[in-house]
Amino acid sequence: MSDWKFMARQLVKNPLSLAGIIIISIFVIIAIFAPLIAPPPEGHLDHYMIPRDGYSATPKLPSEEHIFGTTEGQYDIFYGVIWGTRSAFRVGLVVIGIVLVTGILLGSLAGYFGGIIDEVIMRITDIFLAFPALILAMAIVAALGPSLRSVMIALTVVSWPSYARLIRGDILQVREEDYIEASRGIGASNFRVIMRHALPNAIYPTLVMASLDIGAVVLTAAALSFLGLGAPEGYADWGQLTSFARNWIVGPSSDPLRYWFAVTIPGLFILFFVLGWNLLGDAFRDILDPRLARR
Amino acid sequence: MGNLIRIRDLTVRFYTYEGVVHAIDDLDLDIRQGETLGIVGETGSGKTMTALAILRLIPYPGRIESGSIVFFDRDLHSEIELLKLSEDKMRSIRGNKISMVFQEPGAALNPVYTIGDQISEVFLLHQRRELGKRANKQVDRLLRDGDGLAASIKRPFWHWQKRLYNKIAQESNPFEPRFLSHVPLFRRLLWRLKNESKLLTVDMLKDVEIPDAARVAVHYPHELSGGMKQRAVIAMALACSPELLIADEPTTSLDVTIQAQMLELFRRIKVEKGASVLFITHNLGVASEVCDRVAVMYAGSLCEVASVEELFLHPSHPYTKALLDSVPMPGKELQTIPGALADPLNPPSGCRFHPRCPSATPVCQQEKAKLKEISKDHMVACHLF
Ligand SMILES: Nc1ncnc2c1ncn2[C@@H]1O[C@H](COP(=O)(O)OP(=O)(O)O)[C@@H](O)[C@H]1O
Ligand code: SF4
Ligand SMILES: [Mg+2]
């Protein structure tokens, strides 16, 4: 379709969005080929657990054997960041996926039908939005017990209300359009009107927000892991790697930058992942907006 | 000829934060078979709400408070009380037996679909049997004429398709095709339905005099001119040969030259399709061009209903007279109606028009006049008669 060609051309035309595409593509490749890039050692059962080389607390400098060095507890940083890419995608995509589905479902019901349905759904979102997101997420993880799954549940719970609101607002606006009334006038059912006529015109801002949020969700997940409320110890996860490096940000006074790699390398992975999604989100904003496109 | 629509005591109210809006009050109106009935009135007089009430599409927070709207179904030869119909049944009437053309031609088309997609949707919603029959014929032709290796490989699929289309053509909502239409891959077996609807769509676009219909069908709404869009919207409304076509100010937002073409189109439609048309306009000149009868509305009530000639030659209701005087004409001083349109939140007691009426009598403030037949085909709601 020429629409797709148009979108592709727009994406590549802007150097920033091109950068976003390249960054995310590299991460996708890393995630897919993790077993080849960082092969798990023989007899290693759970591939997501970072292999360790001893138990000493002091990180080891990069070497032939550990090209990014080891962090506190002798976990291999290279293995951790490579397999951590998979964790990052899993957290980001699963959370945003579930949040999108719930948000779109509840938001479009509220916006389209209005009245009491709207009132009930919006008051529920009010309750969720009344808590500071990070604190609520921490409380939920603490209650469920620290694990990557709890982190995903917590992030889903704190994120869906803003999606429901956003979609509701846009549906509310689209609902007043004549073509919605016209589609009811040709005998389409409410379900059909929402799915076929209202949502395609209301969903773009939400998709843009979703792609921006994938980065944000991974960042928050890293923050929770950093606070010790995330993946179990030794699990390949960028937040956890920065958490290991917490005591080694500043080295001995003779050589304060001695352990730079322990925090910088996982930090850079997080930085580029978030940056990549942000650039991509901006690019989506430019191409998905039907008013800008096809002109 | 009999009545196609019989509206009695229709009352529509809006429950807003500021109070109850009396949009339509005790309206009685008949639409006859094959006629074009005009509704004329100022903005806010309730013309659109009357039309939406017939389709039962009054928007929230509005409600049809009471009354009855009877629709005479020519196919079933029976009367249907629309206000008592289930939502499912009502849906099968909208766009099929009663359809509507909305005011803004551009706004009534969904910007993300092509014109063709939007018109085919009407066929897919209401004419599945017809589409099934047509698809069936296509498959028959393939089965008869197809030969060679490709055809012998495809033959079993054609047989399966034939079976599905046969079911669609015979039953109203057959299970097997309905189920398959939700399964990815198998859905493709039914592509001929869509294809047939596209063909019908192009025919429809030709019918409303769109040149190069096949090409226009794949355009998005914003790629067409206002007149084209309006034609497309009319094609959509006419797709299922409705018995009643409601046109809500269909020409208001168009250029005068295009307006004239549209009016011509409406006249032709009426003659060719035998549909009744409810033509809503605030322009008396336009009404006189296309309508057989005209109903004049003021603040949610009917003032006068008469044939066009009768209304223009012998206007009887003081509001109709004032309205006719306010039509600009060369060599005539323009008269305006004193006072403002009645506030629908606090409508005046008795006759809605009494604060502005030059012939008002004391009884007008207390009592609302009923529609009375003052001569053949001429009804007036006024205490003077
Ligand atoms: N959404 C709404 N909320 C409140 N009142 C409304 C709404 N829509 C229409 N109305 C009222 O219904 C009356 C009739 O409106 P309408 O039928 O659109 O007028 P017309 O089509 O003749 O210009 C108006 O007086 C208006 O106040
Ligand atoms: S009923 Fe009275 S106020 Fe109303 S139009 Fe007739 S004369 Fe005027
Ligand atoms: Mg109107």
Side-chain angles (χ1 to χ4, degrees), chain A residues 1-3 113-116 119 175-190 192-193 195-198 200-201 204 290 293-295, chain B residues 52 55-60 87 91-92 94-96 98-100 102-104 106-113 117-118 121-122 124-126 220 222 236:
Chain A
M1 280 277 295
S2 60
D3 277 4
F113 289 106
I116 184 81
E119 206 61 35
R175 191 182 69 170
E176 299 303 320
E177 299 282 350
D178 278 3
Y179 55 78
I180 296 299
E181 184 138 47
S183 66
R184 308 220 296 135
I186 62 167
S189 60
N190 282 327
R192 195 181 173 92
V193 175
M195 295 304 286
R196 224 184 111 81
H197 294 277
N201 284 287
Y204 294 108
R294 295 198 217 101
R295 185 161 280 175
Chain B
L52 292 179
L55 284 169
R56 285 218 346 234
L57 286 177
I58 298 284
Y60 181 85
E87 181 57 29
R91 269 208 305 275
S92 70
R94 289 186 200 128
N96 187 18
I98 304 178
S99 60
M100 182 154 172
F102 290 84
Q103 185 163 351
E104 281 281 332
L109 292 166
N110 194 330
V112 302
Y113 297 111
D117 276 341
Q118 298 186 53
E121 187 178 3
V122 184
L124 288 167
L125 278 170
H126 298 296
Y220 287 93
H222 73 268
M236 187 143 100

Side-chain angles (χ1 to χ4, degrees), chain B residues 9-15 20-27 46 49-50 52-54 58-59 61-67 69 300:
Chain B
D9 303 324
L10 180 69
T11 301
V12 175
R13 294 197 181 130
F14 282 82
Y15 293 86
V20 181
V21 176
H22 296 252
I24 300 179
D25 266 317
D26 284 333
L27 182 106
M49 292 308 139
T50 309
L52 292 179
I54 296 175
I58 298 284
R63 228 170 45 208
I64 298 179
E65 209 65 39
S66 60
I69 300 178

Side-chain angles (χ1 to χ4, degrees), chain B residues 29-81:
Chain B
L29 187 65
D30 296 330
I31 304 174
R32 298 179 189 161
Q33 307 244 5
E35 78 167 349
T36 300
L37 173 68
I39 300 187
V40 179
E42 289 165 81
T43 303
S45 55
K47 306 182 296 289
T48 301
M49 292 308 139
T50 309
L52 292 179
I54 296 175
L55 284 169
R56 285 218 346 234
L57 286 177
I58 298 284
Y60 181 85
R63 228 170 45 208
I64 298 179
E65 209 65 39
S66 60
S68 101
I69 300 178
V70 174
F71 170 66
F72 182 80
D73 191 322
R74 263 192 296 185
D75 298 341
L76 303 176
H77 252 275
S78 63
E79 293 193 334
I80 303 170
E81 169 56 87

Side-chain angles (χ1 to χ4, degrees), chain B residues 100-379:
Chain B
M100 182 154 172
V101 172
F102 290 84
Q103 185 163 351
E104 281 281 332
L109 292 166
N110 194 330
V112 302
Y113 297 111
T114 61
I115 303 291
D117 276 341
Q118 298 186 53
I119 300 178
S120 355
E121 187 178 3
V122 184
F123 290 115
L124 288 167
L125 278 170
H126 298 296
Q127 306 241 313
R128 288 186 82 84
R129 282 184 176 191
E130 178 62 28
L131 293 175
K133 267 181 219 151
R134 292 175 59 120
N136 215 350
K137 279 201 197 112
Q138 287 291 327
V139 180
D140 275 342
R141 200 164 307 143
L142 283 173
L143 283 171
R144 182 156 38 87
D145 300 341
D147 57 339
L149 184 63
S152 50
I153 293 172
K154 285 185 186 156
R155 208 160 278 266
F157 289 100
W158 287 340
H159 278 292
W160 193 3
Q161 284 190 339
K162 185 166 164 52
R163 204 179 105 157
L164 292 173
Y165 292 132
N166 252 333
K167 284 202 168 158
I168 292 172
Q170 275 152 22
E171 295 166 43
S172 71
N173 200 2
F175 173 75
E176 197 179 338
R178 185 158 42 107
F179 175 75
L180 288 177
S181 68
H182 293 292
V183 186
L185 282 180
F186 286 106
R187 187 164 21 205
R188 295 209 40 139
L189 282 170
L190 297 168
W191 69 274
R192 279 172 215 282
L193 281 190
K194 220 168 206 169
N195 205 36
E196 292 302 324
S197 72
K198 290 260 157 74
L199 295 176
L200 288 176
T201 296
V202 173
D203 286 347
M204 213 55 237
L205 288 173
K206 281 187 191 143
D207 228 26
V208 292
E209 292 154 21
I210 287 185
D212 214 352
R215 207 173 46 82
V216 168
V218 297
H219 279 327
Y220 287 93
H222 73 268
E223 297 169 325
L224 302 182
S225 68
M228 269 317 184
K229 278 189 264 196
Q230 188 65 302
R231 281 175 197 272
V233 171
I234 294 172
M236 187 143 100
L238 290 176
C240 296
S241 312
E243 291 172 34
L244 175 64
L245 174 69
I246 301 173
D248 188 1
E249 312 215 13
T251 60
T252 307
S253 59
L254 299 173
D255 294 344
V256 184
T257 48
I258 304 193
Q259 248 181 38
Q261 293 174 9
M262 279 314 143
L263 296 184
E264 190 48 50
L265 182 63
F266 273 100
R267 263 194 296 257
R268 217 200 68 209
I269 288 165
K270 197 188 71 183
V271 174
E272 279 178 16
K273 314 254 167 185
S276 302
V277 180
L278 182 63
F279 196 97
I280 297 173
T281 176
H282 62 243
N283 187 330
L284 280 167
V286 168
S288 70
E289 295 239 344
V290 282
C291 299
D292 303 317
R293 289 195 308 144
V294 176
V296 180
M297 258 188 115
Y298 181 79
S301 309
L302 278 185
C303 302
E304 185 162 6
V305 186
S307 64
V308 179
E309 302 81 30
E310 180 73 10
L311 191 89
F312 283 87
L313 293 176
H314 310 291
S316 303
H317 195 280
Y319 176 66
T320 315
K321 285 182 188 161
L323 207 59
L324 283 170
D325 283 339
S326 67
V327 175
M329 267 197 244
K332 190 193 85 176
E333 202 183 322
L334 193 63
Q335 305 267 313
T336 53
I337 308 175
L341 185 62
D343 177 6
L345 274 173
N346 294 300
S349 60
C351 172
R352 290 287 145 86
F353 190 56
H354 83 253
R356 303 168 78 183
C357 179
S359 345
T361 55
V363 67
C364 300
Q365 290 181 31
Q366 270 123 45
E367 227 177 293
K368 206 177 146 180
K370 288 249 165 232
L371 268 182
K372 277 188 289 266
E373 186 151 17
I374 59 164
S375 64
K376 189 176 178 310
D377 264 358
H378 191 163
M379 316 243 279

Side-chain angles (χ1 to χ4, degrees), chain A residues 18-49:
Chain A
L18 188 62
I21 295 174
I22 293 174
I23 293 173
I24 296 303
S25 311
I26 292 174
F27 277 113
V28 169
I29 291 169
I30 292 178
I32 292 174
F33 295 108
L36 298 178
I37 301 170
E42 292 273 328
H44 196 61
L45 286 180
D46 186 350
H47 294 182
Y48 285 95
M49 296 309 280

